[in-house]
Amino acid sequence: MNFKIAVLPGDGIGPEISVQGVDVMAAVCERFGHTVEFNYGIVGASAIDAVGDPFPKETLELCKNSDAVLFSAVGDPKFDNDPKAKVRPEQGLLAMRKQLGLFANIRPVETFKCLIDKSPLKREIVDGANFICIRELTGGMYFGEKFESDDVAYDTNHYTRKEIERILRVGFEYALKRNKHLTVVDKANVLASSRLWRKVAQEMEPEFPDVKTDYMFVDNAAMKMILDPRFFDVMVTENTFGDILTDEGSVISGSMGLLPSASTGESTPVFEPIHGSWPQAKGLNIANPLAQILSVAMLFEYFGLADEGKLIRKAVGASLDAGVSTPDITGESGKQYGTREVGAWIVEYIRTK
């Protein structure tokens, strides 16, 4: 297969982990006889500094003209600490999702045997947890009508039936491929938007008779993820709830640096780690590249190349088993490897195993 990949390194640790994802993809393509062309674009704070726009038109066109986007992270403290800033790096991420029509964010949460004890949760709670959270990505409060003054501010949690139906369909279809259990997360006892979510989901249930569908308020779901994460198979929810719950899910694996994601929809899919730009670690060679590398595995799997994705997952598992890990996993007591060293180890495994 011939790949044309848009690479958006972004801010903070983004450029460092991006290199590792690119190197791994290139190694896999070489191993399996694919060709790949990487083209680079700017996004986030780096794009604001360069052209005043967190998602320039040139970057949008680059994405549209590519098979997939390999994205890293955006964010910079100089914007976080300025509440009056009118343009922010995160607006670039939201614009990318909206303009590419990426309404479905797929975030797998799984455990690694050698890292069970790295989770702050007890072994007997997290061992064997493996579920997918599907987050609606282009609606809700992040995109609804907004107002802000010195005394009043509001964000509108706006959803249409069409938006809800299409993301629920993604959830049902993923459940069919897995253990046929779908949990719809909402706040229907309080929010009108959530009541529409629940109504539409109940109407769609008969289309998927093989799927066991249950409903859970978001506060209960947040608690259930900590008390019994193995309960979940596929979880589907709205934008804001999904943002919070998937970050909570990162503790199950033991490090946010282990979780990749895919954003799919109407146009070019985007593959990225779920973590942020961690600007404090910029240039220190300590950022965990595994989520970025696993997002490459998701990229291959999206295009039906299961063996390629499997090899990457095998290489990541082997690196963890061998103790080739960054400080977020090894801690102060274990031998620590840098971002570049972990990436190079995995590339060598892909080329030789």
Side-chain angles (χ1 to χ4, degrees), residues 147-182:
F147 176 80
E148 183 176 357
S149 71
D150 290 338
D151 301 306
V152 177
Y154 61 79
D155 302 276
T156 306
N157 201 40
H158 180 274
Y159 271 107
T160 65
R161 172 178 286 270
K162 178 183 176 181
E163 290 174 317
I164 297 169
E165 283 181 346
R166 67 183 182 180
I167 192 66
L168 285 173
R169 192 166 301 280
V170 173
F172 277 113
E173 290 173 352
Y174 264 89
L176 282 174
K177 298 173 186 176
R178 289 172 54 89
N179 298 316
K180 297 181 174 58
H181 176 202
L182 179 68

PDB file of all heavy atoms in Angstrom, residues 147-182:
ATOM      1  N   PHE A 147     -20.761  32.450  25.583  1.00  0.00           N
ATOM      2  CA  PHE A 147     -20.760  33.864  25.963  1.00  0.00           C
ATOM      3  C   PHE A 147     -19.856  34.029  27.168  1.00  0.00           C
ATOM      4  O   PHE A 147     -19.825  33.170  28.057  1.00  0.00           O
ATOM      5  CB  PHE A 147     -22.168  34.353  26.300  1.00  0.00           C
ATOM      6  CG  PHE A 147     -22.189  35.776  26.788  1.00  0.00           C
ATOM      7  CD1 PHE A 147     -22.131  36.832  25.891  1.00  0.00           C
ATOM      8  CD2 PHE A 147     -22.238  36.061  28.148  1.00  0.00           C
ATOM      9  CE1 PHE A 147     -22.136  38.154  26.340  1.00  0.00           C
ATOM     10  CE2 PHE A 147     -22.237  37.372  28.598  1.00  0.00           C
ATOM     11  CZ  PHE A 147     -22.189  38.423  27.696  1.00  0.00           C
ATOM     12  N   GLU A 148     -19.116  35.127  27.191  1.00  0.00           N
ATOM     13  CA  GLU A 148     -18.216  35.368  28.318  1.00  0.00           C
ATOM     14  C   GLU A 148     -18.074  36.863  28.557  1.00  0.00           C
ATOM     15  O   GLU A 148     -17.761  37.629  27.651  1.00  0.00           O
ATOM     16  CB  GLU A 148     -16.846  34.751  28.030  1.00  0.00           C
ATOM     17  CG  GLU A 148     -15.855  34.878  29.171  1.00  0.00           C
ATOM     18  CD  GLU A 148     -14.546  34.168  28.877  1.00  0.00           C
ATOM     19  OE1 GLU A 148     -14.438  33.535  27.798  1.00  0.00           O
ATOM     20  OE2 GLU A 148     -13.632  34.257  29.721  1.00  0.00           O
ATOM     21  N   SER A 149     -18.358  37.284  29.801  1.00  0.00           N
ATOM     22  CA  SER A 149     -18.117  38.659  30.226  1.00  0.00           C
ATOM     23  C   SER A 149     -17.438  38.608  31.587  1.00  0.00           C
ATOM     24  O   SER A 149     -17.109  37.537  32.088  1.00  0.00           O
ATOM     25  CB  SER A 149     -19.438  39.432  30.303  1.00  0.00           C
ATOM     26  OG  SER A 149     -20.205  38.975  31.407  1.00  0.00           O
ATOM     27  N   ASP A 150     -17.257  39.755  32.208  1.00  0.00           N
ATOM     28  CA  ASP A 150     -16.629  39.771  33.529  1.00  0.00           C
ATOM     29  C   ASP A 150     -17.518  39.172  34.600  1.00  0.00           C
ATOM     30  O   ASP A 150     -17.031  38.759  35.660  1.00  0.00           O
ATOM     31  CB  ASP A 150     -16.257  41.213  33.921  1.00  0.00           C
ATOM     32  CG  ASP A 150     -15.107  41.758  33.089  1.00  0.00           C
ATOM     33  OD1 ASP A 150     -14.343  40.942  32.531  1.00  0.00           O
ATOM     34  OD2 ASP A 150     -14.974  42.995  32.995  1.00  0.00           O
ATOM     35  N   ASP A 151     -18.825  39.113  34.329  1.00  0.00           N
ATOM     36  CA  ASP A 151     -19.753  38.668  35.371  1.00  0.00           C
ATOM     37  C   ASP A 151     -20.554  37.426  35.002  1.00  0.00           C
ATOM     38  O   ASP A 151     -21.087  36.746  35.881  1.00  0.00           O
ATOM     39  CB  ASP A 151     -20.737  39.799  35.707  1.00  0.00           C
ATOM     40  CG  ASP A 151     -20.020  41.043  36.196  1.00  0.00           C
ATOM     41  OD1 ASP A 151     -19.231  40.930  37.151  1.00  0.00           O
ATOM     42  OD2 ASP A 151     -20.224  42.110  35.604  1.00  0.00           O
ATOM     43  N   VAL A 152     -20.661  37.143  33.725  1.00  0.00           N
ATOM     44  CA  VAL A 152     -21.488  36.011  33.277  1.00  0.00           C
ATOM     45  C   VAL A 152     -20.765  35.263  32.171  1.00  0.00           C
ATOM     46  O   VAL A 152     -20.106  35.879  31.319  1.00  0.00           O
ATOM     47  CB  VAL A 152     -22.854  36.495  32.748  1.00  0.00           C
ATOM     48  CG1 VAL A 152     -23.672  35.311  32.225  1.00  0.00           C
ATOM     49  CG2 VAL A 152     -23.624  37.235  33.826  1.00  0.00           C
ATOM     50  N   ALA A 153     -20.875  33.951  32.206  1.00  0.00           N
ATOM     51  CA  ALA A 153     -20.325  33.123  31.124  1.00  0.00           C
ATOM     52  C   ALA A 153     -21.177  31.875  30.984  1.00  0.00           C
ATOM     53  O   ALA A 153     -21.720  31.367  31.970  1.00  0.00           O
ATOM     54  CB  ALA A 153     -18.876  32.746  31.406  1.00  0.00           C
ATOM     55  N   TYR A 154     -21.319  31.400  29.743  1.00  0.00           N
ATOM     56  CA  TYR A 154     -22.011  30.126  29.562  1.00  0.00           C
ATOM     57  C   TYR A 154     -21.526  29.437  28.298  1.00  0.00           C
ATOM     58  O   TYR A 154     -21.011  30.050  27.377  1.00  0.00           O
ATOM     59  CB  TYR A 154     -23.536  30.319  29.507  1.00  0.00           C
ATOM     60  CG  TYR A 154     -24.062  31.179  28.384  1.00  0.00           C
ATOM     61  CD1 TYR A 154     -24.187  30.674  27.084  1.00  0.00           C
ATOM     62  CD2 TYR A 154     -24.474  32.486  28.622  1.00  0.00           C
ATOM     63  CE1 TYR A 154     -24.682  31.454  26.044  1.00  0.00           C
ATOM     64  CE2 TYR A 154     -24.974  33.277  27.594  1.00  0.00           C
ATOM     65  CZ  TYR A 154     -25.076  32.764  26.309  1.00  0.00           C
ATOM     66  OH  TYR A 154     -25.567  33.527  25.283  1.00  0.00           O
ATOM     67  N   ASP A 155     -21.683  28.109  28.298  1.00  0.00           N
ATOM     68  CA  ASP A 155     -21.401  27.255  27.154  1.00  0.00           C
ATOM     69  C   ASP A 155     -22.630  26.393  26.929  1.00  0.00           C
ATOM     70  O   ASP A 155     -23.195  25.845  27.878  1.00  0.00           O
ATOM     71  CB  ASP A 155     -20.190  26.356  27.423  1.00  0.00           C
ATOM     72  CG  ASP A 155     -18.942  27.142  27.756  1.00  0.00           C
ATOM     73  OD1 ASP A 155     -18.258  27.573  26.828  1.00  0.00           O
ATOM     74  OD2 ASP A 155     -18.648  27.322  28.960  1.00  0.00           O
ATOM     75  N   THR A 156     -23.047  26.251  25.692  1.00  0.00           N
ATOM     76  CA  THR A 156     -24.284  25.533  25.379  1.00  0.00           C
ATOM     77  C   THR A 156     -23.980  24.105  24.942  1.00  0.00           C
ATOM     78  O   THR A 156     -23.204  23.881  24.010  1.00  0.00           O
ATOM     79  CB  THR A 156     -25.050  26.252  24.252  1.00  0.00           C
ATOM     80  OG1 THR A 156     -25.238  27.619  24.616  1.00  0.00           O
ATOM     81  CG2 THR A 156     -26.404  25.594  24.027  1.00  0.00           C
ATOM     82  N   ASN A 157     -24.603  23.150  25.620  1.00  0.00           N
ATOM     83  CA  ASN A 157     -24.383  21.733  25.304  1.00  0.00           C
ATOM     84  C   ASN A 157     -25.387  21.310  24.219  1.00  0.00           C
ATOM     85  O   ASN A 157     -26.373  20.629  24.483  1.00  0.00           O
ATOM     86  CB  ASN A 157     -24.548  20.881  26.566  1.00  0.00           C
ATOM     87  CG  ASN A 157     -23.860  19.544  26.428  1.00  0.00           C
ATOM     88  OD1 ASN A 157     -22.770  19.454  25.873  1.00  0.00           O
ATOM     89  ND2 ASN A 157     -24.495  18.503  26.930  1.00  0.00           N
ATOM     90  N   HIS A 158     -25.089  21.712  22.995  1.00  0.00           N
ATOM     91  CA  HIS A 158     -26.022  21.557  21.879  1.00  0.00           C
ATOM     92  C   HIS A 158     -25.773  20.255  21.125  1.00  0.00           C
ATOM     93  O   HIS A 158     -24.651  19.958  20.722  1.00  0.00           O
ATOM     94  CB  HIS A 158     -25.853  22.750  20.922  1.00  0.00           C
ATOM     95  CG  HIS A 158     -26.755  22.715  19.741  1.00  0.00           C
ATOM     96  ND1 HIS A 158     -26.453  22.050  18.568  1.00  0.00           N
ATOM     97  CD2 HIS A 158     -27.982  23.277  19.545  1.00  0.00           C
ATOM     98  CE1 HIS A 158     -27.443  22.198  17.714  1.00  0.00           C
ATOM     99  NE2 HIS A 158     -28.374  22.938  18.273  1.00  0.00           N
ATOM    100  N   TYR A 159     -26.833  19.466  20.933  1.00  0.00           N
ATOM    101  CA  TYR A 159     -26.756  18.235  20.137  1.00  0.00           C
ATOM    102  C   TYR A 159     -27.997  18.088  19.277  1.00  0.00           C
ATOM    103  O   TYR A 159     -29.098  18.463  19.679  1.00  0.00           O
ATOM    104  CB  TYR A 159     -26.614  16.998  21.035  1.00  0.00           C
ATOM    105  CG  TYR A 159     -25.175  16.669  21.342  1.00  0.00           C
ATOM    106  CD1 TYR A 159     -24.645  16.912  22.606  1.00  0.00           C
ATOM    107  CD2 TYR A 159     -24.336  16.142  20.368  1.00  0.00           C
ATOM    108  CE1 TYR A 159     -23.319  16.634  22.885  1.00  0.00           C
ATOM    109  CE2 TYR A 159     -23.009  15.863  20.634  1.00  0.00           C
ATOM    110  CZ  TYR A 159     -22.512  16.111  21.895  1.00  0.00           C
ATOM    111  OH  TYR A 159     -21.188  15.845  22.137  1.00  0.00           O
ATOM    112  N   THR A 160     -27.818  17.496  18.087  1.00  0.00           N
ATOM    113  CA  THR A 160     -28.937  17.171  17.206  1.00  0.00           C
ATOM    114  C   THR A 160     -29.098  15.657  17.154  1.00  0.00           C
ATOM    115  O   THR A 160     -28.178  14.903  17.478  1.00  0.00           O
ATOM    116  CB  THR A 160     -28.695  17.692  15.781  1.00  0.00           C
ATOM    117  OG1 THR A 160     -27.570  16.992  15.205  1.00  0.00           O
ATOM    118  CG2 THR A 160     -28.400  19.186  15.790  1.00  0.00           C
ATOM    119  N   ARG A 161     -30.260  15.230  16.736  1.00  0.00           N
ATOM    120  CA  ARG A 161     -30.516  13.798  16.585  1.00  0.00           C
ATOM    121  C   ARG A 161     -29.495  13.156  15.636  1.00  0.00           C
ATOM    122  O   ARG A 161     -28.978  12.078  15.904  1.00  0.00           O
ATOM    123  CB  ARG A 161     -31.936  13.566  16.074  1.00  0.00           C
ATOM    124  CG  ARG A 161     -32.250  12.118  15.690  1.00  0.00           C
ATOM    125  CD  ARG A 161     -33.675  11.972  15.238  1.00  0.00           C
ATOM    126  NE  ARG A 161     -34.574  12.044  16.392  1.00  0.00           N
ATOM    127  CZ  ARG A 161     -34.952  10.989  17.103  1.00  0.00           C
ATOM    128  NH1 ARG A 161     -34.500   9.778  16.775  1.00  0.00           N
ATOM    129  NH2 ARG A 161     -35.773  11.119  18.111  1.00  0.00           N
ATOM    130  N   LYS A 162     -29.185  13.830  14.540  1.00  0.00           N
ATOM    131  CA  LYS A 162     -28.241  13.279  13.573  1.00  0.00           C
ATOM    132  C   LYS A 162     -26.871  13.039  14.198  1.00  0.00           C
ATOM    133  O   LYS A 162     -26.252  11.994  13.989  1.00  0.00           O
ATOM    134  CB  LYS A 162     -28.105  14.222  12.378  1.00  0.00           C
ATOM    135  CG  LYS A 162     -27.097  13.755  11.332  1.00  0.00           C
ATOM    136  CD  LYS A 162     -26.961  14.760  10.200  1.00  0.00           C
ATOM    137  CE  LYS A 162     -25.881  14.325   9.210  1.00  0.00           C
ATOM    138  NZ  LYS A 162     -25.716  15.311   8.110  1.00  0.00           N
ATOM    139  N   GLU A 163     -26.397  14.022  14.974  1.00  0.00           N
ATOM    140  CA  GLU A 163     -25.095  13.875  15.628  1.00  0.00           C
ATOM    141  C   GLU A 163     -25.085  12.704  16.597  1.00  0.00           C
ATOM    142  O   GLU A 163     -24.112  11.944  16.675  1.00  0.00           O
ATOM    143  CB  GLU A 163     -24.744  15.160  16.383  1.00  0.00           C
ATOM    144  CG  GLU A 163     -24.423  16.344  15.493  1.00  0.00           C
ATOM    145  CD  GLU A 163     -24.236  17.620  16.277  1.00  0.00           C
ATOM    146  OE1 GLU A 163     -25.037  17.872  17.208  1.00  0.00           O
ATOM    147  OE2 GLU A 163     -23.292  18.375  15.973  1.00  0.00           O
ATOM    148  N   ILE A 164     -26.176  12.542  17.318  1.00  0.00           N
ATOM    149  CA  ILE A 164     -26.263  11.466  18.311  1.00  0.00           C
ATOM    150  C   ILE A 164     -26.366  10.109  17.631  1.00  0.00           C
ATOM    151  O   ILE A 164     -25.694   9.145  18.013  1.00  0.00           O
ATOM    152  CB  ILE A 164     -27.460  11.706  19.249  1.00  0.00           C
ATOM    153  CG1 ILE A 164     -27.251  13.008  20.035  1.00  0.00           C
ATOM    154  CG2 ILE A 164     -27.643  10.528  20.203  1.00  0.00           C
ATOM    155  CD1 ILE A 164     -28.481  13.480  20.787  1.00  0.00           C
ATOM    156  N   GLU A 165     -27.196  10.021  16.611  1.00  0.00           N
ATOM    157  CA  GLU A 165     -27.378   8.743  15.906  1.00  0.00           C
ATOM    158  C   GLU A 165     -26.075   8.223  15.317  1.00  0.00           C
ATOM    159  O   GLU A 165     -25.752   7.037  15.431  1.00  0.00           O
ATOM    160  CB  GLU A 165     -28.416   8.903  14.793  1.00  0.00           C
ATOM    161  CG  GLU A 165     -29.846   8.936  15.273  1.00  0.00           C
ATOM    162  CD  GLU A 165     -30.826   9.080  14.120  1.00  0.00           C
ATOM    163  OE1 GLU A 165     -30.380   9.422  12.992  1.00  0.00           O
ATOM    164  OE2 GLU A 165     -32.037   8.852  14.341  1.00  0.00           O
ATOM    165  N   ARG A 166     -25.303   9.099  14.682  1.00  0.00           N
ATOM    166  CA  ARG A 166     -24.115   8.613  13.997  1.00  0.00           C
ATOM    167  C   ARG A 166     -23.044   8.132  14.969  1.00  0.00           C
ATOM    168  O   ARG A 166     -22.347   7.159  14.691  1.00  0.00           O
ATOM    169  CB  ARG A 166     -23.568   9.680  13.052  1.00  0.00           C
ATOM    170  CG  ARG A 166     -23.009  10.919  13.697  1.00  0.00           C
ATOM    171  CD  ARG A 166     -22.570  11.932  12.654  1.00  0.00           C
ATOM    172  NE  ARG A 166     -21.980  13.123  13.283  1.00  0.00           N
ATOM    173  CZ  ARG A 166     -21.525  14.160  12.607  1.00  0.00           C
ATOM    174  NH1 ARG A 166     -21.603  14.177  11.282  1.00  0.00           N
ATOM    175  NH2 ARG A 166     -20.994  15.195  13.242  1.00  0.00           N
ATOM    176  N   ILE A 167     -22.912   8.766  16.140  1.00  0.00           N
ATOM    177  CA  ILE A 167     -21.899   8.302  17.092  1.00  0.00           C
ATOM    178  C   ILE A 167     -22.387   7.053  17.822  1.00  0.00           C
ATOM    179  O   ILE A 167     -21.603   6.132  18.102  1.00  0.00           O
ATOM    180  CB  ILE A 167     -21.513   9.411  18.092  1.00  0.00           C
ATOM    181  CG1 ILE A 167     -20.260   8.997  18.878  1.00  0.00           C
ATOM    182  CG2 ILE A 167     -22.654   9.752  19.023  1.00  0.00           C
ATOM    183  CD1 ILE A 167     -19.011   8.874  18.066  1.00  0.00           C
ATOM    184  N   LEU A 168     -23.693   6.972  18.093  1.00  0.00           N
ATOM    185  CA  LEU A 168     -24.225   5.752  18.707  1.00  0.00           C
ATOM    186  C   LEU A 168     -24.050   4.559  17.769  1.00  0.00           C
ATOM    187  O   LEU A 168     -23.748   3.448  18.218  1.00  0.00           O
ATOM    188  CB  LEU A 168     -25.694   5.935  19.060  1.00  0.00           C
ATOM    189  CG  LEU A 168     -26.001   6.807  20.280  1.00  0.00           C
ATOM    190  CD1 LEU A 168     -27.503   7.033  20.399  1.00  0.00           C
ATOM    191  CD2 LEU A 168     -25.463   6.183  21.564  1.00  0.00           C
ATOM    192  N   ARG A 169     -24.217   4.783  16.485  1.00  0.00           N
ATOM    193  CA  ARG A 169     -24.042   3.699  15.520  1.00  0.00           C
ATOM    194  C   ARG A 169     -22.605   3.169  15.557  1.00  0.00           C
ATOM    195  O   ARG A 169     -22.367   1.962  15.486  1.00  0.00           O
ATOM    196  CB  ARG A 169     -24.412   4.160  14.119  1.00  0.00           C
ATOM    197  CG  ARG A 169     -24.538   3.036  13.103  1.00  0.00           C
ATOM    198  CD  ARG A 169     -25.224   3.506  11.839  1.00  0.00           C
ATOM    199  NE  ARG A 169     -26.561   4.014  12.083  1.00  0.00           N
ATOM    200  CZ  ARG A 169     -27.637   3.244  12.245  1.00  0.00           C
ATOM    201  NH1 ARG A 169     -27.501   1.910  12.164  1.00  0.00           N
ATOM    202  NH2 ARG A 169     -28.816   3.769  12.453  1.00  0.00           N
ATOM    203  N   VAL A 170     -21.644   4.079  15.691  1.00  0.00           N
ATOM    204  CA  VAL A 170     -20.257   3.655  15.839  1.00  0.00           C
ATOM    205  C   VAL A 170     -20.105   2.793  17.095  1.00  0.00           C
ATOM    206  O   VAL A 170     -19.447   1.748  17.082  1.00  0.00           O
ATOM    207  CB  VAL A 170     -19.316   4.877  15.921  1.00  0.00           C
ATOM    208  CG1 VAL A 170     -17.886   4.451  16.241  1.00  0.00           C
ATOM    209  CG2 VAL A 170     -19.338   5.653  14.607  1.00  0.00           C
ATOM    210  N   GLY A 171     -20.738   3.213  18.179  1.00  0.00           N
ATOM    211  CA  GLY A 171     -20.659   2.446  19.413  1.00  0.00           C
ATOM    212  C   GLY A 171     -21.258   1.061  19.283  1.00  0.00           C
ATOM    213  O   GLY A 171     -20.657   0.058  19.711  1.00  0.00           O
ATOM    214  N   PHE A 172     -22.439   0.964  18.697  1.00  0.00           N
ATOM    215  CA  PHE A 172     -23.080  -0.345  18.502  1.00  0.00           C
ATOM    216  C   PHE A 172     -22.220  -1.243  17.623  1.00  0.00           C
ATOM    217  O   PHE A 172     -22.072  -2.449  17.905  1.00  0.00           O
ATOM    218  CB  PHE A 172     -24.466  -0.159  17.870  1.00  0.00           C
ATOM    219  CG  PHE A 172     -25.562   0.179  18.842  1.00  0.00           C
ATOM    220  CD1 PHE A 172     -26.174   1.431  18.809  1.00  0.00           C
ATOM    221  CD2 PHE A 172     -25.991  -0.748  19.783  1.00  0.00           C
ATOM    222  CE1 PHE A 172     -27.190   1.750  19.695  1.00  0.00           C
ATOM    223  CE2 PHE A 172     -27.011  -0.433  20.677  1.00  0.00           C
ATOM    224  CZ  PHE A 172     -27.612   0.826  20.637  1.00  0.00           C
ATOM    225  N   GLU A 173     -21.651  -0.682  16.563  1.00  0.00           N
ATOM    226  CA  GLU A 173     -20.858  -1.493  15.641  1.00  0.00           C
ATOM    227  C   GLU A 173     -19.570  -2.001  16.289  1.00  0.00           C
ATOM    228  O   GLU A 173     -19.152  -3.136  16.056  1.00  0.00           O
ATOM    229  CB  GLU A 173     -20.568  -0.687  14.379  1.00  0.00           C
ATOM    230  CG  GLU A 173     -21.820  -0.474  13.516  1.00  0.00           C
ATOM    231  CD  GLU A 173     -21.604   0.467  12.355  1.00  0.00           C
ATOM    232  OE1 GLU A 173     -20.511   1.094  12.302  1.00  0.00           O
ATOM    233  OE2 GLU A 173     -22.508   0.597  11.511  1.00  0.00           O
ATOM    234  N   TYR A 174     -18.943  -1.173  17.125  1.00  0.00           N
ATOM    235  CA  TYR A 174     -17.766  -1.652  17.856  1.00  0.00           C
ATOM    236  C   TYR A 174     -18.156  -2.751  18.839  1.00  0.00           C
ATOM    237  O   TYR A 174     -17.421  -3.729  19.027  1.00  0.00           O
ATOM    238  CB  TYR A 174     -17.086  -0.496  18.592  1.00  0.00           C
ATOM    239  CG  TYR A 174     -15.924   0.101  17.826  1.00  0.00           C
ATOM    240  CD1 TYR A 174     -16.142   1.145  16.926  1.00  0.00           C
ATOM    241  CD2 TYR A 174     -14.632  -0.369  17.985  1.00  0.00           C
ATOM    242  CE1 TYR A 174     -15.094   1.700  16.204  1.00  0.00           C
ATOM    243  CE2 TYR A 174     -13.575   0.177  17.275  1.00  0.00           C
ATOM    244  CZ  TYR A 174     -13.809   1.208  16.385  1.00  0.00           C
ATOM    245  OH  TYR A 174     -12.773   1.751  15.674  1.00  0.00           O
ATOM    246  N   ALA A 175     -19.302  -2.599  19.492  1.00  0.00           N
ATOM    247  CA  ALA A 175     -19.751  -3.615  20.444  1.00  0.00           C
ATOM    248  C   ALA A 175     -19.978  -4.952  19.744  1.00  0.00           C
ATOM    249  O   ALA A 175     -19.643  -6.013  20.283  1.00  0.00           O
ATOM    250  CB  ALA A 175     -21.028  -3.147  21.140  1.00  0.00           C
ATOM    251  N   LEU A 176     -20.515  -4.906  18.527  1.00  0.00           N
ATOM    252  CA  LEU A 176     -20.733  -6.143  17.767  1.00  0.00           C
ATOM    253  C   LEU A 176     -19.423  -6.869  17.485  1.00  0.00           C
ATOM    254  O   LEU A 176     -19.381  -8.103  17.436  1.00  0.00           O
ATOM    255  CB  LEU A 176     -21.446  -5.834  16.451  1.00  0.00           C
ATOM    256  CG  LEU A 176     -22.950  -5.567  16.521  1.00  0.00           C
ATOM    257  CD1 LEU A 176     -23.466  -5.127  15.159  1.00  0.00           C
ATOM    258  CD2 LEU A 176     -23.710  -6.807  16.999  1.00  0.00           C
ATOM    259  N   LYS A 177     -18.342  -6.109  17.304  1.00  0.00           N
ATOM    260  CA  LYS A 177     -17.044  -6.708  17.007  1.00  0.00           C
ATOM    261  C   LYS A 177     -16.336  -7.237  18.254  1.00  0.00           C
ATOM    262  O   LYS A 177     -15.366  -7.982  18.151  1.00  0.00           O
ATOM    263  CB  LYS A 177     -16.137  -5.672  16.327  1.00  0.00           C
ATOM    264  CG  LYS A 177     -16.653  -5.164  14.994  1.00  0.00           C
ATOM    265  CD  LYS A 177     -15.775  -4.019  14.487  1.00  0.00           C
ATOM    266  CE  LYS A 177     -16.339  -3.388  13.233  1.00  0.00           C
ATOM    267  NZ  LYS A 177     -15.543  -2.208  12.794  1.00  0.00           N
ATOM    268  N   ARG A 178     -16.810  -6.821  19.422  1.00  0.00           N
ATOM    269  CA  ARG A 178     -16.136  -7.200  20.659  1.00  0.00           C
ATOM    270  C   ARG A 178     -17.016  -8.162  21.466  1.00  0.00           C
ATOM    271  O   ARG A 178     -17.340  -9.233  20.987  1.00  0.00           O
ATOM    272  CB  ARG A 178     -15.789  -5.926  21.447  1.00  0.00           C
ATOM    273  CG  ARG A 178     -14.651  -5.117  20.792  1.00  0.00           C
ATOM    274  CD  ARG A 178     -14.445  -3.781  21.470  1.00  0.00           C
ATOM    275  NE  ARG A 178     -14.238  -3.896  22.902  1.00  0.00           N
ATOM    276  CZ  ARG A 178     -13.047  -4.057  23.475  1.00  0.00           C
ATOM    277  NH1 ARG A 178     -11.950  -4.114  22.747  1.00  0.00           N
ATOM    278  NH2 ARG A 178     -12.954  -4.127  24.798  1.00  0.00           N
ATOM    279  N   ASN A 179     -17.413  -7.758  22.665  1.00  0.00           N
ATOM    280  CA  ASN A 179     -18.170  -8.651  23.548  1.00  0.00           C
ATOM    281  C   ASN A 179     -19.662  -8.336  23.606  1.00  0.00           C
ATOM    282  O   ASN A 179     -20.368  -8.757  24.513  1.00  0.00           O
ATOM    283  CB  ASN A 179     -17.570  -8.605  24.962  1.00  0.00           C
ATOM    284  CG  ASN A 179     -16.141  -9.098  24.975  1.00  0.00           C
ATOM    285  OD1 ASN A 179     -15.817 -10.113  24.348  1.00  0.00           O
ATOM    286  ND2 ASN A 179     -15.257  -8.382  25.670  1.00  0.00           N
ATOM    287  N   LYS A 180     -20.114  -7.520  22.640  1.00  0.00           N
ATOM    288  CA  LYS A 180     -21.548  -7.244  22.464  1.00  0.00           C
ATOM    289  C   LYS A 180     -22.182  -6.609  23.698  1.00  0.00           C
ATOM    290  O   LYS A 180     -23.310  -6.927  24.090  1.00  0.00           O
ATOM    291  CB  LYS A 180     -22.295  -8.526  22.073  1.00  0.00           C
ATOM    292  CG  LYS A 180     -21.837  -9.096  20.734  1.00  0.00           C
ATOM    293  CD  LYS A 180     -22.605 -10.356  20.367  1.00  0.00           C
ATOM    294  CE  LYS A 180     -22.260 -10.834  18.963  1.00  0.00           C
ATOM    295  NZ  LYS A 180     -20.817 -11.117  18.774  1.00  0.00           N
ATOM    296  N   HIS A 181     -21.451  -5.680  24.305  1.00  0.00           N
ATOM    297  CA  HIS A 181     -21.959  -4.952  25.472  1.00  0.00           C
ATOM    298  C   HIS A 181     -21.666  -3.464  25.286  1.00  0.00           C
ATOM    299  O   HIS A 181     -20.507  -3.059  25.157  1.00  0.00           O
ATOM    300  CB  HIS A 181     -21.283  -5.471  26.752  1.00  0.00           C
ATOM    301  CG  HIS A 181     -21.685  -4.713  27.985  1.00  0.00           C
ATOM    302  ND1 HIS A 181     -20.907  -4.688  29.127  1.00  0.00           N
ATOM    303  CD2 HIS A 181     -22.778  -3.955  28.264  1.00  0.00           C
ATOM    304  CE1 HIS A 181     -21.501  -3.948  30.042  1.00  0.00           C
ATOM    305  NE2 HIS A 181     -22.642  -3.492  29.547  1.00  0.00           N
ATOM    306  N   LEU A 182     -22.711  -2.656  25.234  1.00  0.00           N
ATOM    307  CA  LEU A 182     -22.568  -1.214  25.045  1.00  0.00           C
ATOM    308  C   LEU A 182     -23.161  -0.472  26.236  1.00  0.00           C
ATOM    309  O   LEU A 182     -24.294  -0.734  26.642  1.00  0.00           O
ATOM    310  CB  LEU A 182     -23.291  -0.762  23.768  1.00  0.00           C
ATOM    311  CG  LEU A 182     -23.234   0.744  23.473  1.00  0.00           C
ATOM    312  CD1 LEU A 182     -21.806   1.167  23.123  1.00  0.00           C
ATOM    313  CD2 LEU A 182     -24.190   1.110  22.336  1.00  0.00           C
TER     314      LEU A 182
END
